[in-house]
Amino acid sequence: IDSEINRALRHGSPMSLLMLDVDHFKRINDTWGHSAGDEVLKTIGKLLRESCRVYDIPGRYGGEEFCILLPETVPGNTTVVAERIRQRLESTKLACGDDSITVTASIGIAGMEAPSGGDILSPAALIDRADRALYSAKNRGRNRIEMWDAELLVAADGAISH
């Protein structure tokens, strides 16, 4: 993220970040075990790599969260990408032990337009914005995408469950 933010600043280009969290992942581990959960995460990682452009950077952020960095992408244009990923995940059968299951995900989006003095973000601030948008998606029913909005800063910082 550091190097992509620096590149965006150097070239005055936009960038976006998607933060994806698998909905109700604990149920998978509790029902089929952690090794099945690990296989589900690997399959999701592969699906994300296949859903990205060559220069996009998908990665596991932690637990059942993934980030996808989208260089040269205006934040408003990322909703199409995020929705495509969300729908693809929802319609894909994933091996889980001897069964196959479908999972859904909530996705938060944040980014910078062509950076100028007022909208330069640190990596931590960009991640925080995407994370707040993700929590908003979770709180609004899961299996959806939400864009970062400054109103999320003033939203209650109460308990937000993954």
Side-chain angles (χ1 to χ4, degrees):
I1 292 177
D2 286 323
S3 60
E4 288 302 326
I5 286 178
N6 288 334
R7 183 190 330 255
L9 293 173
R10 266 193 325 273
H11 299 287
S13 57
M15 64 173 292
S16 295
L17 178 70
L18 305 179
M19 185 166 285
L20 177 148
D21 185 84
V22 181
D23 296 327
H24 305 294
F25 185 74
K26 185 178 181 322
R27 286 187 202 163
I28 295 170
N29 283 337
D30 290 350
T31 304
W32 289 280
H34 290 276
S35 60
D38 287 344
E39 287 305 312
V40 167
L41 292 175
K42 288 177 190 175
T43 303
I44 291 170
K46 182 179 180 208
L47 182 142
L48 293 177
R49 281 191 310 275
E50 292 170 353
S51 300
C52 289
R53 303 169 298 184
V54 175
Y55 45 88
D56 293 339
I57 306 164
R60 187 168 171 200
Y61 188 67
E64 67 275 8
E65 286 187 327
F66 294 84
C67 283
I68 305 167
L69 195 57
L70 304 165
E72 303 285 332
T73 307
V74 175
N77 293 345
T78 59
T79 56
V80 173
V81 174
E83 184 61 21
R84 184 180 69 235
I85 290 169
R86 190 199 63 73
Q87 287 178 1
R88 185 169 181 205
L89 184 59
E90 181 181 44
S91 66
T92 299
K93 295 281 187 191
L94 305 174
C96 194
D98 293 333
D99 297 321
S100 64
I101 62 168
T102 57
V103 297
T104 62
S106 300
I107 303 173
I109 302 169
M112 307 187 293
E113 301 288 336
S116 62
D119 62 352
I120 296 172
L121 297 175
S122 69
L126 183 63
I127 290 168
D128 181 63
R129 286 181 175 191
D131 201 37
R132 286 177 186 262
L134 167 63
Y135 289 151
S136 178
K138 292 283 187 185
N139 286 336
R140 292 182 177 179
R142 303 178 193 261
N143 191 27
R144 58 182 292 139
I145 60 171
E146 290 288 334
M147 287 285 297
W148 156 256
D149 183 306
E151 301 227 348
L152 295 175
L153 278 176
V154 296
D157 285 331
I160 299 172
S161 63
H162 286 274

